[in-house]
Amino acid sequence: KQLKKTKKGGHLLVYNGCLPSLNLKILNDRRFKCHEYYSDVYSFLKSQDEIKKIVLFYRWPFYFSGKRFNNLEGGIEIGSNHLVNPIDENKQITELQKYDLIKNNITEYLDLLTFLNKEIIIIFSTPEMGWEIPTFLAKKYLKENNIDKYYLSTSKKIFMERNENVFKFFKSIEKKYNLKIIYPHELFCDDQRCLAHMDGYPIFYDDDHLSSLGSEMLSKKVIQSLK
């Protein structure tokens, strides 16, 4: 909708569970064909000279840590860990090795995109909540007509700590690739808390994916960066 308003167009390329790289896989999980997908993506982008800008949007801290989110206030994300590994190895690597692995592989893919003369825009991490927002809001509404602004919110401090390595990585490559970086938490967090709703309308449709409201807010910010 936001693209239509500005008479712009684009391609939405989506694949679950993988970072942009040609040499990464998810340990002990064959569902994710990361190498094949991003090989196809690169071939497609190489064939499309009219595409000038590429927006990369991932749940970055989930990949960097490999761990499900715990908001330390009772909200713990359900699911198993998601461990990034070299494509040719089948044993778990250390945290330091994983950080270097992710850093090196993403930069290699960015090198490929830069060689194609594409401008790269990074959407940083949206807050993770740790609990399913709409259901809790609905139950609260059944009991109360008025919901406090901070109901279901999470700690911004926890968000910043979980994203520490992500911040570190993008700051280290920002100038090299002339990146435009969009920070969603500037929309969804104040100085202390990351909000779960706006006037009772959920920002997330589960525990970490944006709702229509959250998507609209972020889309407007993204469109501004495309001008």
Side-chain angles (χ1 to χ4, degrees):
K1 290 180 179 179
Q2 299 304 317
L3 284 170
K4 287 181 178 179
K5 289 179 181 179
T6 56
K7 297 183 178 180
K8 297 181 183 294
H11 299 270
L12 180 62
L13 307 178
V14 179
Y15 186 76
N16 184 41
C18 298
L19 285 170
S21 166
L22 299 179
N23 298 293
L24 294 178
K25 69 176 182 180
I26 304 305
L27 184 64
N28 299 326
D29 199 328
R30 296 182 179 179
R31 293 176 298 165
F32 304 104
K33 308 297 183 182
C34 302
H35 169 77
E36 292 91 335
Y37 174 72
Y38 280 104
S39 295
D40 288 345
V41 167
Y42 177 70
S43 296
F44 172 75
L45 294 174
K46 189 176 181 180
S47 70
Q48 303 292 320
D49 291 336
E50 72 275 14
I51 296 177
K52 301 300 182 183
K53 300 175 186 287
I54 298 174
V55 181
L56 299 176
F57 183 24
Y58 299 83
R59 190 179 168 195
W60 302 105
F62 181 45
Y63 293 102
F64 274 72
S65 70
K67 300 175 182 178
R68 299 286 172 177
F69 180 61
N70 183 346
N71 65 25
L72 301 184
E73 298 177 35
I76 303 174
E77 181 186 0
I78 298 172
S80 59
N81 290 336
H82 195 77
L83 302 175
V84 174
N85 231 57
I87 196 170
D88 56 351
E89 289 190 20
N90 293 311
K91 62 180 181 179
Q92 188 171 340
I93 59 179
T94 67
E95 289 295 314
L96 182 58
Q97 287 173 326
K98 182 168 59 179
Y99 176 75
D100 288 337
L101 177 73
I102 292 173
K103 177 181 68 175
N104 293 338
N105 276 275
I106 292 178
T107 52
E108 286 176 6
Y109 202 79
L110 294 182
D111 285 335
L112 294 175
L113 299 182
T114 303
F115 181 76
L116 297 178
N117 197 30
K118 311 291 188 185
E119 180 183 352
I120 301 169
I121 299 164
I122 302 292
I123 302 180
F124 199 71
S125 310
T126 54
E128 301 158 293
M129 306 310 291
W131 35 46
E132 201 270 345
I133 303 303
T135 299
F136 281 100
L137 279 177
K139 289 179 178 179
K140 188 76 169 176
Y141 259 125
L142 290 174
K143 297 180 179 180
E144 305 173 22
N145 291 324
N146 185 37
I147 298 180
D148 182 79
K149 173 183 178 180
Y150 293 110
Y151 179 62
L152 298 177
S153 66
T154 57
S155 167
K156 185 179 181 181
K157 181 175 181 290
I158 296 298
F159 168 83
M160 299 298 286
E161 289 175 351
R162 180 162 164 86
N163 283 275
E164 183 178 0
N165 280 337
V166 187
F167 276 114
K168 178 182 175 183
F169 168 63
F170 283 120
K171 284 297 182 183
S172 71
I173 64 171
E174 184 174 6
K175 291 183 178 179
K176 177 181 177 181
Y177 296 102
N178 194 27
L179 299 177
K180 283 186 179 179
I181 303 179
I182 299 168
Y183 296 100
H185 66 276
E186 294 176 353
L187 294 172
F188 305 128
C189 305
D190 60 21
D191 290 342
Q192 300 295 325
R193 308 290 293 179
C194 294
L195 304 180
H197 70 93
M198 295 284 185
D199 298 323
Y201 194 97
I203 295 173
F204 302 87
Y205 79 76
D206 54 13
D207 63 312
D208 61 86
H209 295 90
L210 293 175
S211 67
S212 56
L213 172 63
S215 297
E216 181 180 4
M217 294 169 65
L218 182 56
S219 294
K220 289 179 178 178
K221 193 174 181 68
V222 173
I223 293 299
Q224 291 175 357
S225 72
L226 297 179
K227 294 178 180 178

